[in-house]
Amino acid sequence: MTQTREEFEARLRQIGADRYHDLHPFHDLLHGGKCSPDQVRAWVINRYYYQHSIPMKDAAFMSRVEDPALRRQWRSRIEDHDGSEGNEGGIKRWLRLAEAVGLDPEYVSSCDGVLPATKFAVDAYVRYVREKTLLEAVSASLTELFAPKIHANRIQGLLKNYAFADDSSLSYFKNRLKEAPKDVAFGLAWVLDHADTQEKQDASAAALIFKTDVLWSQLDALSSAYVEPARIPPGAWVPGEGLLLAKAS
């Protein structure tokens, strides 16, 4: 039975309450100051792969959109990450965080050392957006509904517990507090407008669940590789690699 607009929005929000990656134990370690410097670096390296893939995901989406109004609205998402005149962009801000934790930004941006499972999950998300319906693609982006809370907690926790944390190194998260709400307001309204049958609502909900799985699996991989007992897979970053000090020497 097709849900009302209000019922369907509540269904989507409940998915976030149950499955969003703010519930993952790794975030308790990170935000609580319990991560070692190398664990923080591993998180920065692997999360970068996700950040740098988001504009490619959005470009793949836009290449399939025939409605100019939707393309215009979606275009700002690419600019938010890649940058534009007057906006350095989220990718550059993330590399500033990498430098603050002692990593060589060139090493991080090369994506060398990214965990195989991180690549698998993120690439699957890009492929999902490229191949699924527009409704499913937009629905998958609705994890942004739940992002402001985790960004606020992260800013507070990092500032409290880590010497590298300041306005410059945390600028990515502070800017997302301003950028994400406008994106998600549009995306949510678009999904609620277009998911007008039970079949479409089910597909939309499944897409959002898929995206929460993408985010969760990245943290599972990170924990498996770098939280005791650490099991770093072949080809992944090994502590000591890609550091600014190593480059200077």
Side-chain angles (χ1 to χ4, degrees):
M1 182 176 179
T2 304
Q3 294 176 299
T4 67
R5 189 182 183 93
E6 292 74 20
E7 289 170 340
F8 184 53
E9 179 175 348
R11 178 183 177 184
L12 295 174
R13 291 186 180 277
Q14 190 61 48
I15 290 171
D18 294 340
R19 305 176 69 103
Y20 191 56
H21 68 159
D22 61 336
L23 301 172
H24 197 284
F26 185 84
H27 280 144
D28 291 335
L29 296 177
L30 179 65
H31 300 166
K34 299 175 184 177
C35 280
S36 69
D38 283 332
Q39 288 169 338
V40 174
R41 289 169 183 144
W43 169 68
V44 170
I45 289 168
N46 281 274
R47 180 74 183 189
Y48 175 81
Y49 190 76
Y50 175 80
Q51 302 301 152
H52 108 117
S53 298
I54 293 300
M56 292 185 283
K57 177 269 296 185
D58 289 325
F61 173 79
M62 287 179 60
S63 72
R64 302 169 54 217
V65 173
E66 297 183 7
D67 178 10
L70 179 55
R71 287 200 302 269
R72 283 195 300 270
Q73 183 68 37
W74 213 263
R75 190 184 307 147
S76 65
R77 293 170 180 255
I78 296 177
E79 294 174 349
D80 285 346
H81 284 81
D82 284 349
S84 59
E85 186 175 353
N87 175 17
E88 64 180 342
I91 291 176
K92 187 172 182 179
R93 294 187 187 101
W94 194 268
L95 290 174
R96 192 157 61 244
L97 171 62
E99 189 169 4
V101 302
L103 290 165
D104 179 1
E106 292 184 8
Y107 175 82
V108 176
S109 62
S110 75
C111 295
D112 290 341
V114 173
L115 289 164
T118 299
K119 292 181 179 179
F120 187 85
V122 174
D123 291 352
Y125 178 41
V126 176
R127 186 167 58 251
Y128 186 95
V129 171
R130 184 181 296 122
E131 297 176 354
K132 292 289 188 174
T133 66
L134 295 185
L135 176 61
E136 289 169 300
V138 176
S139 298
S141 76
L142 292 183
T143 49
E144 292 172 329
L145 278 168
F146 323 114
K149 178 183 176 182
I150 198 172
H151 288 326
N153 289 342
R154 183 168 293 152
I155 292 167
Q156 181 181 22
L158 297 184
L159 284 172
K160 179 181 178 181
N161 294 301
Y162 299 95
F164 69 81
D166 56 26
D167 286 343
S168 176
S169 61
L170 302 186
S171 61
Y172 172 83
F173 308 110
K174 293 187 174 185
N175 273 271
R176 289 307 293 164
L177 287 174
K178 296 181 292 184
E179 294 168 347
K182 66 177 175 61
D183 291 340
V184 77
F186 174 84
L188 177 60
W190 196 91
V191 167
L192 295 177
D193 287 342
H194 289 79
D196 52 5
T197 67
Q198 180 180 346
E199 181 181 11
K200 290 179 180 179
Q201 289 177 345
D202 290 346
S204 177
L208 183 54
I209 290 172
F210 167 81
K211 177 63 180 304
T212 60
D213 288 347
V214 167
L215 296 172
W216 193 278
S217 63
Q218 291 178 67
L219 293 179
D220 273 351
L222 195 65
S223 296
S224 176
Y226 298 105
V227 177
E228 296 297 333
R231 298 179 297 276
I232 301 174
W237 179 73
V238 176
E241 292 180 348
L243 301 182
L244 284 170
L245 290 177
K247 184 179 182 180
S249 63

